[in-house]
Structures are given as structure tokens and as C-alpha cells.
Amino acid sequence: MTMMLQSSRRFCNTLRKSSPALLQLKHASSNQPPLNADKNKWQGTLLALAALTGVYTAAASNNEFPNASANVQCESSSGGITLDSLPALRDEDIDFSLPTYTSAQVAMRNGKNMGEKVWMSYGGYVYDVTDFVGNHPGGSEKIMLAAGGAIEPHWHLYRQHFASDLPLRLMEKMIIGKLHPADQDKIDADMDKLQDVGGDPYENEPERHPLLIVHSDTPMNAEVPSDILTREYITPSNLFYIRNHHPVPLLSDGEVKNFRLEVDLSLLSSYDSVTDDNKAEPAIVKLSLEQIKSLPKVEITSTLQCSGNRRSGFNDLRQTSGTNWGQGAISTAKWGGVRLVDLLQFAAQQAAIDTLSDKKEKKTLRPESNNRESLLETLQHLQSILEKQPNLQHLRMESLDGMRASIPIVKAFSPFGDVILAYEMNDEPLTRDHGYPLRMIVPGYAAVRNVKWVSKIQLHEEESEGAWQRGLNYKILPPSVSDATQIDLDRMPRLTEEPVISGITNLERVSSAGEKYHHKNLQPGDTVLVRASGWAWAGGGRNIVRVDVTGDDGESWEIAKITHGANQPFGRAWAWVFWECDGIPARVCDDGHTIEVSCKGVDMAFNTQPHTIEAGKTVCLVGPSGGGKSTTIGLIEGFYDPISGSVRFCTALLQCISCTLRCCASHSFTPLFIQS
């Protein structure tokens, strides 16, 4: 009995549909002897193909592999899984002793009762994921949707699992048996029906700029290339980085016209401007876009950053889970909309008016509903609400795509927090990728709290439920933790404000006379002068007060000049700064061809970025620019090579790796390392 890949029509059709890449599957004859592949390697190889096709099965013949030395190659034009030069499939590499289970048996292990096992099936195999549920990057709630059933329908929507072979490499250790072929055939038929009847949920995605570096396109996750990241202080909307979790909502003109934002004020038992004899009942108010846009408009310039920005640097040290971001998952825009506090007060007004109207009374919440309060009145009003409602702790948000997140009420209510419900981006209506028709902008917070496609907001005692608020991906864990089941995840703080971070986007060699290059054969240990420029940002509105740059491993530091963004209000610096530094002495590395340059940001609280993740721990990055990594400087004959070279940089805690060559860093989001 051997393993095979089905070559039926269903296999070919699924292959074309299941991945956004243009995939090619081919058998290639090899004259080289088979590699010494172990069983897990072959399972991982075949399972990786299964991740692309969803039709991995077992059969009693090996007709699909007529040549014992056949290789299977899978090429992806969008940079996904690439499997080539694989070893020949051999019977001794396959474990044929696995038991066979039915779908009914799998369904009995759904984990609904405490202590029960959690089983799932995928591609003809059965997996015991019990010990992995707590470590699922998307949170236990998401993975439990497939408990006791097939994974295929869920991965049809959450296609980020196909962006790399990591999910399958993790799963291969959880295989406990095979799914009965008849049951797998039914699952495959259901998937065919889902494709034929339901269509592709990603078929109406908007067009994207070709310069964006795409990590996955279903859902779209794309970053800004390093060489254009700081080209403009306000990032053009079509070059703003994209982080989506689901298909982008598509609203018809009629749906936009009939759109209503639901504002749930049920937690409030009364409204302070209504007399005790006429208390308004708790209410849910629905506001049209026209009503929202009638409120006073404000504009906020704010930087948004994915909490996993710079993950690729961490992966060079040790494998983590999640999108392999470079430094380009950060952008800045001017957002236009209505202040959240104004919206909430208007909604409370409407609730009181509706309630009193039902009672045929003519009282309103405030004497003039369209007059703005003074700052003092706003502060007094919000303080009064919090005093009367001590349990009011969170503002919950829900999105048209099903995402749920929340922010602390002290941020939502603060007149200095500048939280707005935006309907414009860079003086134009929001684009679909960035939240049309409404997006919550929460300056200084991780971008995941800046919810797109907002459809509902709610005052609540508890933070939002769901993976994006309580899941593992957005929790702050100790750096020593590599297994989330070792800790009480509910007690771990969730990600809100971002820490200080900086990056280098341009580096060139200069001479003391200001010349761009000079010709000299350089030796290891020699010193050259370089010019660097880049960006820096800190969450929470904390102003960047300094950026320091070194080219000699921290023996000396040069103070950079902040060229853009230096004059933001104190404590409300929601946007990044740009900086540049000339005449940095940089030491030539031992190879005689490269240098190391580091930068570190310092914010108004004098938080800065630590020098290394571990003392003396460095990682060599070899290859061309891309994915957020800058190129090195060619030092032979003063030639600056923008394409190739070896770059060494110090990996530090994730996104706050502060520059693209050698980095000082801090971090707001600690991912779990993948245990080998």
C-alpha cells in the first residue's frame, strides 16, 4: 500500500482554485540517488502539497508514481510554498500502521466536555490537536470551530494557512490515523459543491498596487517596500500596507445607502440630562452615514502598524508563527471623520429623543443637539458617566467581516485620545481595503484595534470576545514562554499601545568631503563614513525625542536629525518621524565587504530599544533586498551594490528591530517560537 496524490478532475480543479498562486504540479525524473528522507519529512512534503490541494489521500496502488525516483515539484508564482528536488518516495519512509477512523468517530472527540480530546481531519488524515488548541495563533475559539470535524471548509476561508508550510509541519506531529476513504470522498464532494455553488469568497477583492510586497493574497497581507517606505511622510492610500483577515466586504450602492451603524448604549441605565421622573430606557441606536457625516468633522494624522511588523528578523533567529513581515507593515495617513465622544453623545441624544417621543414628550438630551460642548463640559459629562457607571470599562467594536476588538473606555472617552470614526483617508473616501465605509482610528494603538468596516460599537463591562482580542496572537507573553499551555492566557495582558520602534530605509557611503563614493581598497577594521536615514515611532502618543545611530557596534553613537514630524503636540504624537544622520563612522566587517549600522529610537518617557535580544547574538542575512530588509553597502572600489551582498544584523524582539542592517530593538508582541 502506498501514498499517492489523486490526479482526477477534482484534484486538478481544486489545485487551480485552492491557491491564489499559479501552481504547477509535475513529475520529474531524477538521476540522483534518493535522499535519506525520514518518515516525517515525507509526511511533511505530501502534507504541504495537501495544503495547496486539499485532496491528499491514501490508495492501494502506486500508479501515480511509475518511477521510483520520481520527484514532485510545486512552484508558486506568488511566493508561497515551493517544493522542488524532493527525494524519491519509498515504502520504508511511510508509516502504514496508522489506524483508520470514520468521521463519526472523529465527531465524538469534539472537546465540548472538559478533559475530552479534540480531533480533526484533513486531507485523509486524523489529527489529535488537544495539546495545540491553547497554542493556536488565532486563538482557541477559532480552531475549535473545526473540533470533531473537517478542517477543509475552514481553510477555504482562512487561506493564510497556505502562505507557508508551517501549519502542515506542525500538524504532521499530531497525526494519529487515517480517515476512512469514503468519508474523505464525501468531504471532497462537499468542497466541490462549496466551490461550485458558493463560489470563491475572494473573487471580488479590490485591485492592489503592484509595488506592494505580497505575503498572501487570500486574505491580502502586503507591506510597503523599504526603499519607498519613507519616500513620502503621508503614505499614499494605494501604497498603505494591507492586513486583512477575511475577504474584503463589498457593499452595493443600495447597501451603502441603507447602511446603519449600531450603537449599543444598553449599559447606561439613564441619561444625565433627563429628569429622574423621565429616565430613558437603555437603547440601541442605529445611525446612517448621513447622520454621522453631519457631525463636526476632525482630521487626525496617525501611524498604523501591524503588531507583527519585523517578524522576519525574528524568524532568522528562530521560527515563529505568523506572516513573515519585513519592516513595511507600517504606514501613515491623514484620517477624516467624527470624534468618538461626539458620536456617542449624539447617539445618546437620539436614544433619549426616541424614548421621549414614544411617550409623546418633547424633551431633548441637550438644549441644542447640534451645538458642541466646551472642553470643560465634555470632561465633566464624561466624568459623570464614569462615576455613575463604574463597571463601564470597554468600548467594543464589531466589523462587517466578523472581526471583534475593543479598547479601554478611558482611551475611548478621552478628549485627548483623539479616537475618531473615520470615513476619509488622505482627503478621499476610505478605500475598501482600509475600511470603507467606516473605520475606527485609535491613535497610538496597535492597528488591530483600529477596526475596519465598523458595523457596531457597544459600551460594555468586558473586553470583546474572540481571537483578535483574547487570542494568543495579541497577548503579551514573557520571552521565556514557548508553550502557551504553561500559563493562564486570560491573565496575560492584551496588546494596546505600541512601544518605541525605528528603522533604516536608506544607507550610502560618503567621504569626509561629502563625496558619495571614494576609491580605496578597504581592509577589515577600517572605518568609512556613511549617511543613513529612516523612521521612528512610539505608541501611546509618546513623542520621539531622539534617534541614535552607530556603525561601530555601539562604541560611539551619532545623534540623528529629525526632519519630519518633530513638532507634534506633546503626548499626542500619533504619527512617525523621519530622520537622517550624516558622517556616521562605520567599521568594515571581517569579510572586508560589509558594514553594520544600527539605530535606536528614544521616546519622551526615555524608553529606548535594547541593543540585542541576547548579548552577542547576531544573525547573518544573505541575499538581495526585499521583505523590508535593506541592502548592504559595497565597499570594494566604493561600489554601492543595491542588489546583492551579505547583511548582518542583530535580531531583537520582533517588530521593534530598529533598523534594517544591525538593529537595536524592543517589542510589544512576543510570538511563540515553534518547538522542534
Side-chain angles (χ1 to χ4, degrees), residues 186-258:
K186 184 179 184 304
I187 293 171
D188 294 338
D190 290 342
M191 291 304 298
D192 282 343
K193 183 177 180 180
L194 180 62
Q195 288 278 9
D196 295 337
V197 177
D200 185 350
Y202 293 94
E203 64 184 357
N204 293 313
E205 293 287 280
E207 293 185 7
R208 279 87 180 207
H209 199 289
L211 288 181
L212 290 173
I213 300 171
V214 177
H215 294 284
S216 69
D217 56 7
T218 52
M220 175 56 68
N221 291 292
E223 66 177 283
V224 188
S226 289
D227 58 349
I228 63 174
L229 184 60
T230 52
R231 183 179 295 175
E232 298 181 63
Y233 185 75
I234 299 295
T235 311
S237 298
N238 61 350
L239 285 173
F240 203 97
Y241 89 94
I242 303 171
R243 173 69 169 107
N244 293 338
H245 300 276
H246 302 102
V248 177
L250 176 62
L251 276 65
S252 67
D253 291 342
E255 288 172 325
V256 172
K257 183 178 180 180
N258 295 323

Side-chain angles (χ1 to χ4, degrees), residues 642-658:
I643 301 300
S644 64
S646 174
V647 180
R648 294 179 63 209
F649 81 110
C650 186
T651 59
L653 285 179
L654 245 182
Q655 83 214 39
C656 295
I657 294 174
S658 63

Side-chain angles (χ1 to χ4, degrees), residues 92-395:
E92 57 265 33
D93 295 325
I94 308 300
D95 182 0
F96 299 111
S97 62
L98 293 173
T100 297
Y101 298 100
T102 64
S103 291
Q105 289 175 305
V106 174
M108 295 173 62
R109 277 76 172 181
N110 57 22
K112 289 185 177 180
N113 297 322
M114 185 68 67
E116 279 188 349
K117 294 286 186 180
V118 179
W119 287 9
M120 300 174 185
S121 70
Y122 184 79
Y125 277 83
V126 176
Y127 303 83
D128 184 343
V129 302
T130 307
D131 295 334
F132 180 69
V133 169
N135 285 319
H136 183 244
S140 58
E141 178 186 80
K142 285 295 180 184
I143 192 173
M144 287 301 290
L145 293 174
I151 296 175
E152 283 90 338
H154 303 279
W155 282 15
H156 177 66
L157 178 62
Y158 296 102
R159 297 183 187 175
Q160 51 266 53
H161 295 88
F162 302 139
S164 77
D165 66 344
L166 177 60
L168 276 302
R169 288 196 290 110
L170 292 174
M171 289 172 62
E172 68 182 31
K173 301 177 182 179
M174 308 176 200
I175 294 176
I176 59 171
K178 294 175 290 186
L179 189 66
H180 193 282
D183 288 330
Q184 184 60 47
D185 286 344
K186 184 179 184 304
I187 293 171
D188 294 338
D190 290 342
M191 291 304 298
D192 282 343
K193 183 177 180 180
L194 180 62
Q195 288 278 9
D196 295 337
V197 177
D200 185 350
Y202 293 94
E203 64 184 357
N204 293 313
E205 293 287 280
E207 293 185 7
R208 279 87 180 207
H209 199 289
L211 288 181
L212 290 173
I213 300 171
V214 177
H215 294 284
S216 69
D217 56 7
T218 52
M220 175 56 68
N221 291 292
E223 66 177 283
V224 188
S226 289
D227 58 349
I228 63 174
L229 184 60
T230 52
R231 183 179 295 175
E232 298 181 63
Y233 185 75
I234 299 295
T235 311
S237 298
N238 61 350
L239 285 173
F240 203 97
Y241 89 94
I242 303 171
R243 173 69 169 107
N244 293 338
H245 300 276
H246 302 102
V248 177
L250 176 62
L251 276 65
S252 67
D253 291 342
E255 288 172 325
V256 172
K257 183 178 180 180
N258 295 323
F259 175 86
R260 296 295 183 270
L261 173 71
E262 184 176 308
V263 183
D264 188 347
L265 304 172
S266 300
L267 187 63
L268 302 180
S269 59
S270 64
Y271 302 99
D272 62 350
S273 61
V274 180
T275 64
D276 290 340
D277 294 335
N278 295 286
K279 288 186 177 180
E281 296 296 325
I284 296 177
V285 182
K286 295 184 178 181
L287 303 177
S288 68
L289 292 174
E290 183 179 6
Q291 287 177 298
I292 293 170
K293 292 179 180 180
S294 72
L295 297 172
K297 179 184 174 183
V298 295
E299 292 181 334
I300 300 293
T301 299
S302 178
T303 294
L304 301 186
Q305 176 183 248
C306 177
S307 58
N309 197 23
R310 306 309 303 276
R311 183 181 282 119
S312 62
F314 215 174
N315 285 339
D316 288 311
L317 175 66
R318 190 175 172 189
Q319 182 65 51
T320 70
S321 63
T323 302
N324 198 41
W325 297 110
Q327 70 163 318
I330 183 171
S331 300
T332 298
K334 182 173 73 172
W335 309 93
V338 56
R339 290 189 184 278
L340 177 61
V341 290
D342 290 347
L343 180 76
L344 290 173
Q345 290 178 14
F346 179 75
Q349 250 177 27
Q350 296 301 117
I353 291 172
D354 293 344
T355 301
L356 295 175
S357 176
D358 291 341
K359 297 178 181 180
K360 298 183 179 181
E361 299 183 21
K362 299 297 182 181
K363 293 185 179 181
T364 60
L365 185 66
R366 301 201 178 278
E368 295 291 339
S369 63
N370 60 348
N371 287 347
R372 299 195 67 185
E373 297 176 317
S374 69
L375 177 60
L376 179 59
E377 289 173 328
T378 297
L379 290 172
Q380 291 173 336
H381 179 55
L382 297 179
Q383 181 179 359
S384 174
I385 291 178
L386 294 177
E387 287 177 351
K388 292 179 179 180
Q389 300 289 342
N391 293 331
L392 175 55
Q393 295 294 321
H394 300 274
L395 180 97

